Amino acid sequence: MEINEIFKDVAEIIDESCGIEADSIKMEDTLFDKLEIDSIDMVDILFEIETKYDISIKVSDLEQRTKEAENEMPYEIDGKITENGVKSILKEMPEIDLSKVHEGMTIEELIKLINVHSLCKIIKLKLDEAKE
Amino acid sequence: MYLNFNHKYVLVTGATGEIGRQICLDFILEGALVIPLYRNDCKKEKFLNWLKENGANLDSVFPYKADLTKRDDIKSAINRILKEHNKIDVLVNCAGYAVEMPFLMLEDNQIDDQININYLAPMIVMKEVLRSMFINKGGNIVNISSATATKFGRGVSVYGSAKAGLERFTKIIAQEVGKKGIRVNSVSPGVIDTDMSQDLIARGKNNIKEFTALRKYGTPIDVSKAVLFLASDDTAGFITGHVLNVDGGIFL
Ligand SMILES: NC(=O)c1ccc[n+]([C@@H]2O[C@H](COP(=O)([O-])OP(=O)(O)OC[C@H]3O[C@@H](n4cnc5c(N)ncnc54)[C@H](OP(=O)(O)O)[C@@H]3O)[C@@H](O)[C@H]2O)c1
């Protein structure tokens, strides 16, 4: 399944769960900052995605890939992203606003940068894994 | 009063108990499709006979088996229910277990079981059921608590505190899921004249009635009517996070 197709579904799911018009949603919109999706709506969205695609997905999956990529070196210390963490984010999450990524930023700050594109990517990854 | 339960699926835990069976009966008589959870086959047969004797059409009853002390049992039963019926509109957590004894005399397993059945099991059931309520964009939960959550503590340390936890949990979850159109409330019965309360009634002699404003014990019907009231969007559509005391005004 192509990322654009997934995006269409995700925009509709966000529309249904949060009442944000699907047509107004863009790939680069951050989930928590721009779209102001709160945690309960996020749960709703993830349930809808799981049901639609028959996959299992958690909020932590969204930044989990970066941790897996650099498992040799610490990705974060005391909740703050390390130099290695930054490298890994640049490589694994090019879809987010990289100008805001810096050493010492908190995990919460990173989560705020996660956008609709990140969500679509993780769905694609899970669908591809399920196919294998 | 029109409660509007036609074609609604209502899951009731502790359905074979005296209060649980009354709740099932009243929902059925109001047109609901009832999914009783039970753990003992003999008790299930007795329960079904009782429903029939009291005018219920058993075509509206879909029983499933689960031991509420086993997480996997709960999950697999609810999974099967959702596969076969697609949705649960109303959940009533009615199963309960009390051992009345000074805390220091309780066996470890009696402590665990009281916590598991009165507190943990409703949480596990709610987690599974809420998922489907989110997907169906609505639903309703009523937890059966107990007056011992806030009053007369002696001899019911674990039971009473587990029920207090359940009441607090009810309020917090009501806050969390309210924006999804899901209401969560509790009914807190006082002394209801059932097997569960016979020890208490025997020990209290007439004292309990003395402390009760209405000077009588409650009946399973009193509890059941309160549950149906809270579960109906027509009668209680703007009520959530509430603990409704059904206790005749005990210790006012
Ligand atoms: N009766 C009262 O005066 C009173 C007062 C305040 C609050 N309450 C509350 O009201 C609710 C109903 O009470 P009741 O008087 O109807 O009690 P009950 O007759 O003893 O019924 C309890 C129900 O819970 C079920 N249950 C217990 N352990 C279970 C387990 N491990 N797995 C599955 N089911 C289990 C029982 O199943 P089995 O039939 O198989 O045992 C039974 O169906 C309870 O939550 C109780 O705490 C009662």
Side-chain angles (χ1 to χ4, degrees):
Chain A
M1 200 170 181
E2 289 312 312
I3 205 100
N4 278 333
E5 276 177 86
I6 297 175
F7 169 64
K8 261 198 203 156
D9 289 345
V10 167
E12 264 164 36
I13 288 173
I14 294 176
D15 184 341
E16 204 179 307
S17 299
C18 321
I20 303 169
E21 260 187 51
D23 289 347
S24 70
I25 298 170
K26 297 190 201 71
M27 275 275 213
E28 64 271 21
D29 287 347
T30 52
L31 297 174
F32 304 110
D33 255 8
K34 173 83 197 321
L35 297 180
E36 293 183 340
I37 295 173
D38 73 11
S39 50
I40 280 294
D41 284 336
M42 198 62 215
V43 172
D44 196 359
I45 290 166
L46 295 181
F47 282 168
E48 291 286 350
I49 290 172
E50 289 185 333
T51 309
K52 177 153 191 80
Y53 296 112
D54 196 17
I55 53 174
S56 152
I57 186 166
K58 299 188 194 72
V59 176
S60 58
D61 285 334
L62 297 170
E63 41 113 31
Q64 188 66 28
R65 286 168 301 146
T66 54
K67 286 183 194 161
E68 281 159 10
E70 291 293 320
N71 55 7
E72 298 281 297
M73 306 295 278
Y75 159 88
E76 49 98 9
I77 296 174
D78 297 337
K80 298 231 161 95
I81 307 285
T82 61
E83 192 188 337
N84 269 297
V86 172
K87 269 192 214 153
S88 154
I89 292 165
L90 295 180
K91 196 166 112 215
E92 296 294 325
M93 303 179 83
E95 74 280 3
I96 65 173
D97 182 355
L98 295 176
S99 69
K100 293 196 174 134
V101 175
H102 58 85
E103 190 182 337
M105 75 187 291
T106 62
I107 299 281
E108 286 73 36
E109 285 168 332
L110 174 64
I111 287 176
K112 282 196 179 151
L113 296 181
I114 289 170
N115 56 27
V116 178
H117 195 168
S118 316
L119 186 57
C120 296
K121 263 175 72 179
I122 197 79
I123 295 169
K124 180 161 170 45
L125 202 85
K126 295 261 172 177
L127 287 172
D128 291 347
E129 272 169 17
K131 244 195 271 166
E132 279 163 16
Chain B
M1 202 180 308
Y2 188 53
L3 295 171
N4 211 356
F5 289 125
N6 273 339
H7 310 299
K8 293 260 163 85
Y9 279 98
V10 180
L11 173 64
V12 181
T13 74
T16 52
E18 286 182 73
I19 294 176
R21 69 183 187 180
Q22 185 67 49
I23 293 171
C24 292
L25 176 68
D26 288 344
F27 270 112
I28 296 165
L29 297 180
E30 288 292 335
L33 301 164
V34 169
I35 305 172
L37 274 199
Y38 69 96
R39 62 168 167 175
N40 178 304
D41 290 311
C42 293
K43 287 197 176 172
K44 178 189 90 175
E45 290 313 317
K46 259 182 82 179
F47 158 75
L48 291 175
N49 286 335
W50 183 88
L51 285 181
K52 210 166 149 190
E53 281 163 23
N54 285 279
N57 177 353
L58 295 190
D59 290 344
S60 308
V61 188
F62 309 93
Y64 286 78
K65 191 170 180 170
D67 181 342
L68 295 174
T69 58
K70 299 189 177 121
R71 191 183 287 258
D72 288 346
D73 247 39
I74 301 177
K75 286 188 169 191
S76 88
I78 295 176
N79 258 328
R80 272 184 292 127
I81 293 168
L82 289 171
K83 256 199 198 121
E84 285 158 25
H85 304 287
N86 256 325
K87 61 171 187 154
I88 293 165
D89 299 295
V90 177
L91 161 66
V92 183
N93 275 308
C94 183
Y97 173 58
V99 184
E100 263 198 73
M101 210 183 262
F103 176 61
L104 294 175
M105 284 171 70
L106 288 172
E107 301 289 340
D108 287 350
N109 68 316
Q110 292 174 323
I111 295 178
D112 292 354
D113 284 351
Q114 289 186 89
I115 299 276
N116 286 338
I117 296 163
N118 296 302
Y119 185 49
L120 190 60
M123 280 187 184
I124 300 170
V125 175
M126 279 165 73
K127 185 151 188 263
E128 298 303 309
V129 170
L130 273 168
R131 187 189 166 86
S132 83
M133 289 182 172
F134 264 61
I135 288 165
N136 292 319
K137 306 280 175 255
N140 203 310
I141 299 176
V142 182
N143 293 321
I144 308 299
S145 171
S146 161
T148 59
T150 48
K151 294 169 234 186
F152 30 65
R154 218 167 82 188
V156 289
S157 52
V158 177
Y159 173 73
S161 52
K163 292 289 195 185
L166 180 63
E167 284 186 5
R168 186 71 197 119
F169 182 69
T170 301
K171 287 174 189 266
I172 294 173
I173 297 303
Q175 269 184 0
E176 287 195 6
V177 302
K179 85 180 276 198
K180 294 290 154 191
I182 302 167
R183 296 187 297 107
V184 191
N185 292 290
S186 343
V187 167
S188 176
V191 181
I192 307 300
D193 195 359
T194 66
D195 280 352
M196 193 186 232
S197 52
Q198 288 315 304
D199 285 353
L200 180 78
I201 290 175
R203 262 185 297 113
K205 303 217 171 64
N206 278 329
N207 280 347
I208 298 170
K209 281 191 185 163
E210 293 280 303
F211 292 128
T212 305
L214 295 178
R215 299 289 194 280
K216 59 178 183 176
Y217 304 124
T219 65
I221 296 176
D222 293 324
V223 180
S224 175
K225 296 291 179 218
V227 171
L228 269 76
F229 164 76
L230 285 175
S232 166
D233 286 335
D234 284 24
T235 49
F238 198 48
I239 302 178
T240 195
H242 187 69
V243 179
L244 180 53
N245 294 335
V246 180
D247 61 6
I250 202 162
F251 282 131
L252 281 178

